[in-house]
Amino acid sequence: MPFDLASVRERLPGRRIDWFSSVSSTMTLAAQAARDHAPNGTVIGADGQVAGIGRHGHSWHSEAEAGLYVSIVLRLPIEASGLPVLMLALGIATQRAISDAAGLAADLRWPNDVLIEENDVAKKCAGILAQLEGRAVVAGIGINVNHIVFPTDIEATATSLRLAGKRDVSREDLLVALTQEIDTCMKILTEDGPRAILELFAQSSSYVNGRRVQVERVEGPVEGVTCGLDESGFLLVRQDSGEVATILAGGVRPA
C-alpha cells in the first residue's frame, strides 16, 4: 500500500519529511541533506531501497512497501566518541516505537539489533546505523513490517512485525512513533547525559547482564557472560578465565 505522507506530516507539523518511491539508500540521501544544512529531525524515507546499507558494509533487505526505511538528520552536541551511546539511544527509541505502534515487546541485542519472537524464537526485525556527516549525525533505521519471506541467507535470523503476529501495523503510525521516541531519547541523552541512556539500555536489553554469549571479532572470538556496559557504551564480557573483554565491535550471539 502506498505511504500516506500527508497523514504523517499532519501529525508531525513543521518537520521536514522527504519521501520517495525507491532510492538507492536513504542514508546516502540523508547524508547529502545534512551537507546541505537540513534542519535537525529531517526525515528521508522511501517505500523501497535497491542498495540499503547495514553495518560493516552489509546490505539491508528492503522489499518495496513492506518495511519502514528511513534516515534522520540529527544535530546534537556529540563528538565521534559519543556515537556508540547515541546508537544505543536509537535502539531504545526503535524498541519503544515498535511497542507503541504494534504492541510488541522487543529485545535489544548490543549494539544495534532489535529482536522480536516469532514462534518462540528471537529474530531480528530492525537494525540501526549511525554515522557522522560534518557536525550532524545521520541515523538510518530499517524496520521489517509486512515482510512474509526473506532471502535465503537471512531467513533463519530475520522476521517482521507481521510474522510475529501483527498483520495490520501502519507504517505511518510506526514512523510517527519512531520520530517522537527519537526526540525523547535525544532529549534524555543531551539533558541527562550518556549515563541515563546506558541505564535505560541495560534495563531494556536481555543481553547486557548475565547472558552467556559468543562474540565474533576480527581479532578473534570471545565467549563468556555479559557484565554490563562501560562508560562509552561498549559491551563487557567476563570470560571463563575471569578476564573481562571490552567488545568494541562484533556479532553478539547467545552461546
Side-chain angles (χ1 to χ4, degrees):
M1 181 180 296
F3 192 80
D4 186 354
L5 181 58
S7 74
V8 174
R9 284 179 170 157
E10 183 177 352
R11 287 180 282 173
L12 297 173
R15 186 181 299 264
R16 174 180 165 183
I17 306 172
D18 296 350
W19 199 267
F20 304 88
S21 59
S22 180
V23 297
S24 59
S25 166
T26 62
M27 284 290 286
T28 303
L29 295 182
Q32 183 60 56
R35 292 191 292 270
D36 292 340
H37 312 293
N40 178 59
T42 293
V43 176
I44 309 293
D47 285 326
Q49 301 179 110
V50 297
I53 301 172
R55 290 183 74 233
H56 303 310
H58 296 161
S59 62
W60 185 264
H61 176 61
S62 307
E63 179 185 340
E65 298 186 3
L68 185 67
Y69 318 118
V70 297
S71 294
I72 300 175
V73 177
L74 300 172
R75 298 194 178 277
L76 305 166
I78 289 178
E79 303 296 332
S81 60
L83 277 180
V85 176
L86 175 62
M87 184 87 77
L88 302 184
L90 291 168
I92 296 166
T94 304
Q95 179 193 52
R96 290 177 170 184
I98 290 171
S99 175
D100 295 342
L104 288 170
D107 194 7
L108 296 173
R109 181 172 62 199
W110 185 95
N112 74 330
D113 292 342
V114 184
L115 311 176
I116 52 177
E117 288 195 357
E118 177 200 335
N119 298 325
D120 298 322
V121 177
K123 296 183 178 182
K124 183 173 177 176
C125 72
I128 299 154
L129 182 67
Q131 64 185 39
L132 283 173
E133 188 60 53
R135 298 300 300 172
V137 174
V138 175
I141 299 173
I143 304 176
N144 301 331
V145 182
N146 289 311
H147 300 68
I148 298 175
V149 295
F150 290 93
T152 55
D153 59 329
I154 62 171
E155 63 182 354
T157 58
T159 190
S160 68
L161 306 186
R162 180 168 183 166
L163 290 174
K166 297 296 181 177
R167 298 177 58 89
D168 299 314
V169 178
S170 158
R171 290 187 296 149
E172 293 84 353
D173 291 349
L174 189 57
L175 178 56
V176 171
L178 179 63
T179 54
Q180 291 173 339
E181 293 291 0
I182 288 176
D183 288 349
T184 297
C185 288
M186 294 306 107
K187 184 177 181 181
I188 293 171
L189 177 59
T190 55
E191 294 186 0
D192 299 334
R195 174 54 56 184
I197 293 297
L198 298 180
E199 291 175 356
L200 279 175
F201 192 88
Q203 295 166 10
S204 305
S205 169
S206 71
Y207 279 79
V208 171
N209 283 293
R211 186 73 173 262
R212 189 165 188 86
V213 297
Q214 293 177 330
V215 186
E216 295 298 327
R217 306 183 303 170
V218 173
E219 61 270 39
V222 166
E223 181 170 334
V225 177
T226 58
C227 55
L229 303 167
D230 73 4
E231 62 182 12
S232 297
F234 296 119
L235 185 66
L236 303 175
V237 177
R238 188 178 304 279
Q239 301 172 85
D240 294 340
S241 66
E243 179 182 359
V244 175
T246 300
I247 310 302
L248 305 180
V252 177
R253 298 293 183 270

